Amino acid sequence: MTIRTRVAPSPTGDPHLGTAYIALFNYAFAKQQGGEFVLRIEDTDQVRSTPESEQAIMDSLRWLGLNWDHGPDVGGEFGPYRQSERIDLYKKYAQKLVDDDKAFYCFATSEELEQMREAQMTEGLRPKYDGRGLKLSKNEIEANLAAGKPYVIRMNIPEEGTFKFNDYLRGEIEIPWENVDMQVLLKADGFPTYFLANVVDDHHMEISHIFRGEEWINSAPKLLKLYEDFGWSAPTLGHLPLLRNPDKSKLSKRKNPTSINYYKEMGFLPEAVLNYLGRMGWSMPDEREKFTLAEMIENFDMKRVSLGGPVFDVEKLSWLNGLWIRENLTDEALISRFVDWKFNSETLAKILPQVKTRINTLSDLVELAGYFVSGMPTYEPDLLTAGKAEEDVIRQALQFFIWDLEALRTWQKSEIFAIAKKLADHHELKIKVFLEPIFVAISGKTSSTSVIDAMEILGSDMSRARLRVALGHISVSKKQAKKLEKAYKVYLAN
């Protein structure tokens, strides 16, 4: 049997460090045994999935040096490799489960299901689907289908007993069926959920081992039961520990930059980032901290992964990156890296139109445009609140701006400005006043070249990272954070 692993990201946002971490360990496991690595795109969320996000994911994984043997851009014998191109296959298998009494139609509306959950919580019960679809007679089901009533297909889950499976990293795990919901497999729009699509795809793509994050442990019974229901042999399943912030909380963009592109734009070497990710819960037999991907593969043993939450510390990564620069790059190679990173004609072509009318000597460029090629700008935090708006208003406007930008599907200045204008109006601020703290957050100055143009040039990852740093300077208490979340929901509702 060919050892074959995969990574299956959803193209719904920035390429995440967690995706690279999972991809690396699946890649190293397969390659250490002469196997193959598959990239599959889970784009069944048609509202949030974008081609730009898909491309960013592929670019970032390739930047790190994680190349796939099968995927949407390289092809392969198991294609297509985008789930949106395999919809008919999922429908066929969902119907097969219904025909075999392994799944059932549910015609309940979202309002009915919400009432069900509220009633359960009132009774002190854990919200869970109550199996109402199983109580419909054959005649009722046929009448609903004939009437064109919307439905989902749910999997049939036992009400009693437990499910046991052997985790590659954790040994035997036992989960009571009462804790497992009757999962929706096919949504009302005809698109599959994660569970159905992954089982069908992993079977057809002959995936031998699946290593994923530990947050998915409780869903393992549903996943593995689907293999039983289809009569298929299940791949070996293992759950890797989650990446953590230095305070041991789950890695999140509020406490650590989580986008791979951020580290690329900051000037980290891909070798160093990959090296550091490789140290997340695993180590070389000789305990050395700096190693190449090839060295990791040669010495890799998944059984040696520590299950304690590995801490992703940017300062430690910076130290390791410096080690790579000093010990592995000649002066000529370092010059080449600088050019590839920022000091190239393509980058300058974006920056020069912003500053050309303001420079009298070439040296003026450094002062005017230095923030385009720097990391986090340094400034006195008081500058953020030195404008005409009150601090509480700035805090809320800045937080709303970050949240709106996180939901932005395409990073274009017209859309960035539209968000800024809408928020300025909402907070009854002139657009110039609204942008005052944004200028500081992005450039480190109270004024600069067009800040909206600058944000487009800097890109989504760096822009949002600088805005989050600025919000941190203003500081948001837990009480304020809850208040902001409530206010933002009201803002969205209007």
Side-chain angles (χ1 to χ4, degrees), residues 4-7 36-40 68 70 81 205 207:
R4 189 174 290 113
T5 62
R6 51 80 166 169
V7 65
E36 297 178 342
F37 179 63
V38 178
L39 171 67
R40 188 172 68 232
W68 42 97
H70 307 262
Y81 293 92
M205 295 180 185
I207 302 300

Side-chain angles (χ1 to χ4, degrees), residues 64 268-278 317 320-322 324:
L64 288 169
F268 285 89
L269 303 184
E271 301 96 323
V273 177
L274 202 64
N275 181 174
Y276 192 65
L277 287 173
L317 170 59
L320 184 62
N321 196 70
W324 269 90

Side-chain angles (χ1 to χ4, degrees), residues 17-22 24-25 64 66 243 260 272-282 291 296 312 317 320:
L17 279 173
T19 299
Y21 162 65
I22 296 294
L24 171 60
F25 279 73
L64 288 169
L66 297 175
L243 298 183
I260 303 169
V273 177
L274 202 64
N275 181 174
Y276 192 65
L277 287 173
R279 296 181 65 256
M280 295 291 97
W282 185 84
F291 49 83
M296 179 178 179
F312 191 92
L317 170 59
L320 184 62

Side-chain angles (χ1 to χ4, degrees), residues 25-166:
F25 279 73
N26 278 277
Y27 181 92
F29 179 85
K31 294 304 176 180
Q32 201 277 331
Q33 301 178 69
E36 297 178 342
F37 179 63
V38 178
L39 171 67
R40 188 172 68 232
I41 301 296
E42 293 185 356
D43 60 344
T44 54
D45 185 340
Q46 293 293 284
V47 175
R48 297 171 61 225
S49 296
T50 67
E52 292 82 6
S53 179
E54 177 185 315
Q55 190 62 51
I57 289 169
M58 293 195 291
D59 289 346
S60 64
L61 291 178
R62 279 219 171 90
W63 176 71
L64 288 169
L66 297 175
N67 298 305
W68 42 97
D69 302 290
H70 307 262
D73 57 337
V74 300
E77 60 188 293
F78 306 113
Y81 293 92
R82 293 184 185 89
Q83 289 187 335
S84 62
E85 299 172 9
R86 301 169 65 87
I87 300 302
D88 290 342
L89 191 65
Y90 308 132
K91 289 180 178 178
K92 181 183 79 170
Y93 280 106
Q95 188 59 52
K96 174 175 170 52
L97 290 173
V98 173
D99 294 341
D100 293 343
D101 292 327
K102 305 294 184 182
F104 59 93
Y105 296 107
C106 174
F107 299 92
T109 64
S110 57
E111 291 77 16
E112 289 170 341
L113 293 175
E114 184 59 33
Q115 290 172 5
M116 174 198 75
R117 295 187 193 98
E118 289 177 358
Q120 289 170 335
M121 287 189 287
T122 299
E123 296 177 21
L125 301 174
R126 184 172 64 87
K128 180 182 177 182
Y129 181 74
D130 59 6
R132 61 184 61 192
L134 288 168
K135 299 173 184 176
L136 296 175
S137 68
K138 184 177 180 180
N139 288 338
E140 287 175 310
I141 292 171
E142 289 178 351
N144 285 338
L145 292 174
K149 190 172 182 179
Y151 66 86
V152 299
I153 292 178
R154 290 180 179 268
M155 70 183 299
N156 202 340
I157 295 292
E159 295 182 4
E160 300 177 345
T162 61
F163 183 87
K164 296 180 182 179
F165 72 100
N166 188 57

Side-chain angles (χ1 to χ4, degrees), residues 270-338:
E271 301 96 323
V273 177
L274 202 64
N275 181 174
Y276 192 65
L277 287 173
R279 296 181 65 256
M280 295 291 97
W282 185 84
S283 61
M284 293 286 282
D286 61 4
E287 298 296 327
R288 68 182 184 271
E289 296 197 79
K290 187 163 74 70
F291 49 83
T292 66
L293 177 58
E295 289 168 338
M296 179 178 179
I297 291 170
E298 182 182 354
N299 293 277
F300 192 73
D301 180 359
M302 188 69 82
K303 294 287 188 181
R304 293 184 61 247
V305 170
S306 170
L307 299 181
V311 173
F312 191 92
D313 187 333
V314 177
E315 290 187 10
K316 181 72 172 179
L317 170 59
S318 295
W319 169 83
L320 184 62
N321 196 70
L323 212 59
W324 269 90
I325 289 174
R326 290 186 291 276
E327 295 182 359
N328 289 74
L329 297 181
T330 63
D331 289 350
E332 291 77 11
L334 187 54
I335 289 170
S336 179
R337 293 295 181 104
F338 272 116

